[in-house]
């Protein structure tokens, strides 16, 4: 396990099914051997994110932060990550 550089993550989360979101923060877990930590520079949402927020497909755990279409830079990597380096642009 590797300790990441980000100690608290801030986002907009739905606390229950629906489209209402509010500020929410949490402490991330340590990175596993195959994980990377990304400083997100851009994020978007798509239709599947809206379905997730409204729990139209079931299985959504709340609080829920959506937005899986991201671009950013690697700032930390697990010990077994060999194909990326810190500073690489990823998305």
């Amino acid at each position: 396990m590797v300790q990441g550089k980000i100690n608290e993550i801030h986002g907009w989360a739905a606390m229950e099914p629906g489209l209402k979101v509010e500020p929410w923060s949490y402490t991330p877990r340590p990175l596993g051997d195959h994980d990377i930590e990304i400083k997100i520079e851009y994020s978007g949402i798509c239709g599947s994110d809206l379905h997730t927020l409204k729990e139209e497909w079931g299985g959504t755990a709340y609080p829920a932060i959506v937005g899986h279409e991201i671009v950013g830079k690697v700032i930390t990597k697990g010990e077994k990550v060999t194909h990326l380096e810190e500073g690489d642009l990823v998305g």
Side-chain angles (χ1 to χ4, degrees):
M1 295 285 185
V2 174
Q3 184 59 45
K5 294 179 178 148
I6 298 173
N7 297 320
E8 188 172 36
I9 294 175
H10 304 274
W12 290 87
M15 300 298 166
E16 60 187 30
L19 296 177
K20 180 183 175 197
V21 293
E22 59 188 69
W24 187 67
S25 300
Y26 66 96
T27 302
R29 65 169 173 72
L31 300 176
D33 289 341
H34 299 278
D35 294 337
I36 62 170
E37 183 175 42
I38 303 169
K39 181 179 186 305
I40 298 172
E41 297 177 357
Y42 305 97
S43 176
I45 61 170
C46 69
S48 64
D49 295 319
L50 301 178
H51 289 294
T52 299
L53 285 176
K54 297 188 283 184
E55 201 182 10
E56 293 176 337
W57 295 338
T60 302
Y62 295 93
I65 296 177
V66 298
H68 63 275
E69 297 173 346
I70 63 169
V71 174
K73 292 188 179 168
V74 175
I75 59 171
T76 313
K77 64 179 193 164
E79 294 176 7
K80 294 185 179 177
V81 175
T82 59
H83 63 291
L84 296 168
E85 297 298 328
E86 290 185 20
D88 283 356
L89 186 64
V90 293

